[in-house]
Structures are given as C-alpha cells and as structure tokens.
Amino acid sequence: MSPTSVTLSWKGSGKADSYVVKVGSDRALTTATTQRTAKTTHLTIDDLKASTPGVQQFYRVDVVHNGKVVTSSRTAQFSLEPGSVRKLAVTRVAADGVRVDWRRVANSRQFDIMVARNKSFTKEPETVRTLGGAHQFITKGLTPATTYWLKVRPINGDQTGAFSKPVKFTTMVRESSFKIGSWNVCSEKCSGYPGRAKIMAAFLNANKVDIFGLQESGGQRVGRTTNAIFSGGSQHFVRATGGAEARYIFYRPALFKQLSGSYFYVGDGRHATWAKFVVRKTGRIFYYVDVHLENKHGNDAKRSREMNVMLGRMARINDTGKPMIYAGDFNSGIHRPRDSPGVKMRAAGFSDTVGLAKHPINADINSGHTFATTVLRSGDYVDHIWVSKDFEVLGWKQLVRITGGRYTRPVVSDHNALSAIVALDAPHKAVGEPTAITTVGGLSTSLR
C-alpha cells in the first residue's frame, strides 16, 4: 500500500487462463474504475489517484477462461495509505487553546492529534481524532501559561499515517476570569426573608462570587431590603441600576463598570432585567440578563412565548453581538418532557455552563426543592446560567449549605444558588470554534 498504489493477491482458480482485476470508488465498480489483466495471482496497480479527502476503494477479481468471465470473487474494499503531514504550524494561541494548520494531505479523512507537556509525549498525553478532514485543529481544553507539544497523523479508514514532527507552543496568561452567580431567593412568598437574606448574602460573599442575579427578590418595598442586605459585604457588591420587578443584579465595581441597564415585560406578568458591563481589566463589554420564567410543568407554551420576547428584545438591545449571559430561574430543563427555553437558548447560540465545565460540582443535586432538609439528587435543574460562545467556562458549582447529608437549617430558599467561573479575554486572542473530535482507543480527554 502507498498513497497511489496497492498490491492485491488472491487464491488461484484451476479454470483461469487469466484474471481481470477491477478497482473503483463505488461497490458497483462503475465510478473511476481502473482495470488490469493478470496471468498470476497477484497484481500491483501503481497509478491509482490519490484524493483529498480520502475515499474507500472497492475491487473484484474475475476469472477468465476461453475469453469469457466464468466466475468472480466477492467485492472487497481497501483504503489507500494517507500521505504525510507537512508544514504543521501554530497559527494562533490563547490562554486555554491553540489553533494549528498544515498542508493538505492526500487520502486523509481524519486526523489524530496528540498533545503533551513534553517533547517525548510522556507527560499528560492526550490523543483525540477529528470527526472531519479539515487540515486544521482548534482546541480550548488547555491550561493557561503552559508549554505544550503537539503532533498530527492522518487517518484514511483503517490506514494510519505517520505522526508529523511535533511543534511547541506556550498558552497565554489568562487575562480575565470571574464567577457568575444566580439565585431565586423567594423573598415575599416565603416567610422570614430578612433573616434568610442575611445568610444568603454572606454565603455569596464567602463563595467569592463576582456578579450575580436574584429572582423573587421583592418589588419596591421588599426590594429595599434586598438592596440593603446584598450590597456591600467582603466582595463590596453594588446593585446595578435599572433592575426592578423582583429581579436585581449585583456586581463588584472593582471588576466591572456598569454602562447601562433596564428591565422589560416578557408576558404573563413576568419581566427580565438586563445590565451592560465593561470588564475593567480588558475593556470587554458584556450583557447580564436576569431571567424568571413562568412556573408549573404544564406552562411550556407560556415559557416559549416569554423566551421569544426576551431573546428578540435583547437582540435589539445588543445589536452589535456583544457577549451575553442569561441566568436565572427558567422553570424548565432537559428533565422536562418539553423544554422550550433550552431549545431556544441553544438555537440562539448559547450553552448551559454546567455542560461546558470539565468537572461540575454538585451536579447531581436538584436546583429546586422545598424548605425541607432532604437533598434531592436526580440532577434536575430549573435554574441555569447560559453563556454565549465568547465565554470560556472554567468551572461550575451548585452552591449548597449541607450538613450531615441534609440541607443546613435554616433552609434559606426553595432554590439553590448556581455559580459558573468564566473567562472573557481580549477578542484578538480567540482561536476559533473547537474542532469536532472523538477519543482514540477509549481514552478520556480534556481537549475540546
């Protein structure tokens, strides 16, 4: 086997005067067919055409006696050997990712990518296989400020080429990361709010949240209580201007500067609050949208309408495509028979942070519960933190107060707080969308 040749052999037939060998790119041997005659039981065809991407080759051997085909072999198949990977080069580096490109490779359908922390590929090696044949690889699963080596080999069906010479690169220092929070605090419908709110505010400060949204946080009267209790603290939180109708956003002014904000009606007595911020360190602008959709299992149609209004309105507000966060109580999730909010968020290009985190913490705990101390563990989330593709998700955690396997008394809300650590570096550092991959040989991988 080579990129343009194959040697075939077969068991002979006593009736044969000669053999006719047909090779083509379809099983019926009607497309791009090459035909050769042989007097012996083996044959080398050395003028086959290489292709990019590679294609499966089919062949059949006919037995010729007295000038006629008297019998034929079954149709079998093979793949030509792929060519060599040449001119492998690192073309872009980010804090957690890299993009590499290489010249087109004959007969390549996929590529194996091996990444490690040393040149001999023995320290923390990871191997993945691309799902397609693009001569480029992008990953975002790397550690900031770290040196790596990377090499590539081509794959054509069951034929594996040689690994390229490795290239070395160092990921950049992370420029900006922060922790997002979201919590339905049940201020007016649940008793004892001021005492519960003090515990919740202290909990958010202790967990070093940088920006968070509250749902059911009170109207004009109770909202003043919310503002007083959740402002300040060790994180020095400030409530964003423009929030109302029981949805408020708090942030750390040391990290962010608010540019604008307001709220709007989405239907069914529901509102959404939004705020526009700039990250002081990098100048990146983003929007935080605080969400609380219609409740009850049978109200998916209402939630669907509310989502249409919210997404449409925010698209007009954010008309330059800045990064966005949607966080709050969506009263829906993939555990429901119908999950219109999730479907619409994914269709709009957003991802649930729990699904992007490598090692989510407390992901088995339901985000909604009662004021009982029993911890429900079926992994059902009605609360979510969704982010646009601009963000890198570094971690996800459901913030829970648990003692001895039960919720710590007093139980402070009928929802748990969610948090997600995200990065938003300067836009010129972006490497692009990660290449679609699968693992090789069943190995686990952190590359994505």
Side-chain angles (χ1 to χ4, degrees), residues 21 84 225 231 250 279 292 334 348-349 381 384 443:
V21 180
S84 300
T225 301
S231 295
F250 290 79
V279 181
H292 191 186
I334 58 175
Y381 313 117
H384 304 271
L443 297 177

Side-chain angles (χ1 to χ4, degrees), residues 174-429:
R174 175 64 70 198
E175 289 185 326
S176 173
S177 64
F178 50 89
K179 184 181 286 188
I180 306 166
S182 178
W183 206 345
N184 182 325
V185 295
C186 195
S187 67
E188 295 181 296
K189 293 182 180 179
C190 309
S191 62
Y193 177 60
R196 292 186 292 108
K198 290 178 182 178
I199 297 173
M200 287 188 276
F203 193 53
L204 291 173
N205 278 274
N207 280 278
K208 304 297 183 184
V209 174
D210 296 310
I211 185 170
F212 63 91
L214 301 180
Q215 304 87 49
E216 292 191 24
S217 51
Q220 294 301 316
R221 178 178 60 83
V222 178
R224 290 192 292 270
T225 301
T226 297
N227 185 57
I229 292 175
F230 284 90
S231 295
S234 60
Q235 295 291 83
H236 307 289
F237 289 120
V238 170
R239 194 178 86 181
T241 58
E245 300 297 337
R247 293 132 191 59
Y248 297 109
I249 299 169
F250 290 79
Y251 67 97
R252 292 179 60 200
L255 299 184
F256 314 106
K257 177 183 178 182
Q258 186 182 2
L259 301 179
S260 59
S262 187
Y263 71 100
F264 54 85
Y265 184 66
V266 298
D268 308 306
R270 303 277 170 167
H271 295 75
T273 290
W274 64 272
K276 182 181 181 181
F277 297 97
V278 60
V279 181
R280 292 187 182 275
K281 188 174 182 180
T282 63
R284 292 298 300 271
I285 293 173
F286 71 93
Y287 289 80
Y288 187 118
V289 185
D290 193 6
V291 183
H292 191 186
L293 302 180
E294 185 73 12
N295 64 354
K296 296 183 180 179
H297 287 238
N299 283 335
D300 184 75
K302 288 185 177 181
R303 288 188 286 272
S304 179
R305 291 196 299 269
E306 293 161 12
M307 286 293 302
N308 288 341
V309 173
M310 182 173 64
L311 290 172
R313 183 69 178 271
M314 287 310 305
R316 293 192 294 273
I317 293 171
N318 179 19
D319 58 359
T320 56
K322 293 292 191 294
M324 294 188 71
I325 300 164
Y326 283 88
D329 181 0
F330 287 76
N331 272 308
S332 188
I334 58 175
H335 62 287
R336 295 277 177 87
R338 293 182 179 179
D339 178 29
S340 288
V343 170
K344 292 179 183 295
M345 289 302 295
R346 286 185 287 272
F350 292 86
S351 298
D352 198 339
T353 51
V354 66
L356 293 181
K358 293 179 186 175
H359 306 291
I361 300 173
N362 295 327
D364 62 323
I365 299 176
N366 296 12
S367 71
H369 55 90
T370 67
F371 274 83
T373 59
T374 302
V375 179
L376 304 176
R377 294 183 178 272
S378 57
D380 295 346
Y381 313 117
V382 293
D383 304 274
H384 304 271
I385 299 174
W386 295 84
V387 292
S388 60
K389 294 180 180 180
D390 313 86
F391 292 93
E392 301 297 333
V393 178
L394 310 180
W396 183 96
K397 184 177 182 180
Q398 191 167 179
L399 305 178
V400 290
R401 300 169 61 248
I402 293 178
T403 304
R406 305 184 73 85
Y407 285 121
T408 305
R409 291 187 180 277
V411 181
V412 293
S413 178
D414 56 353
H415 287 255
N416 295 328
L418 301 186
S419 68
I421 301 174
V422 300
L424 190 62
D425 288 339
H428 63 273
K429 305 286 175 56

Side-chain angles (χ1 to χ4, degrees), residues 15-18 64-70:
K15 299 178 181 179
D17 298 327
S18 62
V64 178
H65 179 67
N66 291 333
K68 295 181 179 180
V69 175
V70 294

